[in-house]
Amino acid sequence: MLREDFYQRQKKHLRMWRLKESFRGFLLGLVSILIVLGLAYALQSGSSRQLVGLLAQQSFPFESILMEGVPGYSQPERPRLDLTRNQGAAVGMFLLTGVNVADPRTFFLSYFSPPPQGPVWLGWAYNPNDPEFEGPILEPIESGTPKPSGNTVVAPPSVPVPGAKGILVGIYNTHNSESYAGDGGPERRQGENGDVVTVGETLKKALEQNGIGAVHSLQIHDAVDFMKAYGSSVNTATQMTKDYPNLKVLIDVHRDGFPPGVPKSTITVKGQKVSQVLVVIGKKNPHWQKNEALAKELMALGEKKYPGLFSTNISYAADARYNQHLSDGGLLLEFGSQVNTLAEANGSAEAVAEILAEWLKR
């Protein structure tokens, strides 16, 4: 009886162990399939370099997945195996749903709603098809002032801003609270001007040092409602175009947000490690191709001067505009991600200022 009872318990434990191992194998298999499918999609769309870079940069331990369950492997490698599972779960979730647990925007905007044109890692940005609640385009897109007719009330001309004619670059921050945690600081400073505002100031000063007039707004846009920040920043950007009629470039400075386990990306400029820069273009405006053309010219100059400074591919948002309808020179630049340091982002801003100055002086 005791022996039979012992064997019954052993069978029960064996069934439980097999169930756990089967479930674990299913999860790891699902992650592996997602990665393979993602790579196949990337190869087909010509963006394989970014996926391979993602996995290679974080030293994704494929051997841990392959060795899962091998006798004698799991216990000595338990900490590394646990890290592998966490990384696999984060990357798998990102590829499957577009949810980036390091970026709260994606919980509301892309949860179980992957964009039809492919996984969001192809653009390294927000969920492309519904980035934020921007509202309708209220500002006139056509250049020139319409002629008054009938009983139309003509608004009085605005008071000229001193020195406005010499300002060629306007800079602002839609998400003022964004910061860099690479040197131990917080990822956000809610209700305050975070590190990206400092980067905007660095960009402005570096442009001035290179002989280009620039202005930077310190207006906070995301303190009340982060998800509706563009509804606020559009007013700042619009006012800039009115106050500084000679603006050639209008830049919204951000930083990206990566899933856990994805390391920062840097290049070396003049012996200093600086963050990479991602260009984001919103297609929801009639002249987005002009914004794109400017971006490509700057990226080409950047590749000659500081190879690798700009991310290889532009991130396109099909149903967003990012205030770029206000200017042919409207750009959204993301200086690194939350895992970079402020010093790295500032160094990147100085390099971008040199490239912008070179383009504007042609």
Side-chain angles (χ1 to χ4, degrees):
M1 178 67 72
L2 291 175
R3 181 176 298 177
E4 182 178 347
D5 191 42
F6 171 78
Y7 283 131
Q8 289 295 330
R9 288 199 302 272
Q10 288 293 95
K11 288 181 180 179
K12 182 178 180 181
H13 290 156
L14 183 60
R15 285 196 298 270
M16 291 295 294
W17 180 82
R18 286 177 176 172
L19 182 62
K20 290 180 180 179
E21 290 302 305
S22 297
F23 182 68
R24 182 183 300 170
F26 171 77
L27 288 178
L28 291 172
L30 179 61
V31 171
S32 300
I33 290 172
L34 286 171
I35 292 173
V36 171
L37 291 176
L39 181 57
Y41 179 91
L43 288 170
Q44 182 181 8
S45 63
S47 302
S48 58
R49 181 178 176 183
Q50 285 182 281
L51 177 60
V52 174
L54 161 66
L55 299 176
Q57 283 176 355
Q58 61 178 332
S59 301
F60 195 81
F62 290 101
E63 73 279 5
S64 297
I65 294 178
L66 296 175
M67 296 287 285
E68 173 76 18
V70 173
Y73 177 77
S74 61
Q75 288 305 322
E77 296 286 338
R78 178 57 56 189
R80 186 162 181 263
L81 198 57
D82 289 340
L83 176 61
T84 300
R85 290 168 181 163
N86 292 336
Q87 286 181 328
V91 173
M93 186 181 195
F94 192 45
L95 295 176
L96 180 64
T97 69
V99 173
N100 175 356
V101 295
D103 190 341
R105 289 171 292 195
T106 60
F107 280 90
F108 301 98
L109 301 176
S110 61
Y111 192 67
F112 290 129
S113 180
Q117 71 268 39
V120 292
W121 47 259
L122 292 177
W124 289 112
Y126 331 129
N127 177 28
N129 275 342
D130 190 10
E132 292 193 14
F133 304 107
E134 295 185 280
I137 296 177
L138 301 177
E139 294 296 320
I141 295 173
E142 296 79 9
S143 60
T145 304
K147 296 180 180 180
S149 60
N151 296 323
T152 303
V153 177
V154 180
S158 57
V159 179
V161 175
K165 291 183 178 180
I167 301 298
L168 300 181
V169 179
I171 304 166
Y172 65 101
N173 307 87
T174 293
H175 294 146
N176 302 66
S177 61
E178 292 178 331
S179 294
Y180 297 94
D183 46 9
E187 294 185 6
R188 296 187 185 279
R189 299 185 185 277
Q190 186 59 38
E192 302 178 16
N193 276 327
D195 292 340
V196 292
V197 178
T198 302
V199 175
E201 278 292 292
T202 299
L203 179 60
K204 169 184 174 290
K205 292 176 182 177
L207 282 166
E208 291 173 342
Q209 290 171 0
N210 283 276
I212 301 298
V215 63
H216 179 213
S217 172
L218 302 181
Q219 178 66 40
I220 297 177
H221 306 110
D222 60 353
V224 177
D225 192 339
F226 185 88
M227 302 306 296
K228 296 182 180 180
Y230 281 98
S232 175
S233 68
V234 68
N235 297 320
T236 298
T238 300
Q239 192 61 45
M240 275 189 170
T241 62
K242 294 178 179 178
D243 290 342
Y244 306 97
N246 292 333
L247 280 183
K248 301 296 182 184
V249 184
L250 183 61
I251 301 175
D252 189 3
V253 173
H254 290 251
R255 63 110 174 107
D256 209 342
F258 284 173
V262 178
K264 64 184 179 183
S265 181
T266 60
I267 70 159
T268 301
V269 171
K270 298 179 180 179
Q272 175 189 358
K273 292 289 186 181
V274 306
S275 64
Q276 275 196 315
V277 181
L278 173 70
V279 180
V280 181
I281 298 293
K283 289 187 174 182
K284 199 174 183 180
N285 86 74
H287 58 241
W288 69 266
Q289 293 94 338
K290 294 181 180 179
N291 303 125
E292 177 191 49
L294 167 61
K296 289 184 175 180
E297 288 184 29
L298 294 176
M299 291 167 68
L301 285 174
E303 192 61 24
K304 291 179 180 179
K305 194 174 185 67
Y306 301 123
L309 176 63
F310 288 96
S311 294
T312 306
N313 294 326
I314 296 172
S315 175
Y316 296 96
D319 291 336
R321 63 178 190 268
Y322 300 123
N323 302 335
Q324 292 165 7
H325 65 291
L326 299 172
S327 169
D328 291 347
L331 294 175
L332 190 158
L333 300 182
E334 297 193 342
F335 290 84
S337 72
Q338 84 278 11
V339 294
N340 283 102
T341 66
L342 176 57
E344 290 166 347
N346 278 334
S348 180
E350 291 172 354
V352 169
E354 292 183 31
I355 294 163
L356 268 171
E358 183 177 336
W359 182 82
L360 288 166
K361 291 177 180 178
R362 292 186 308 172

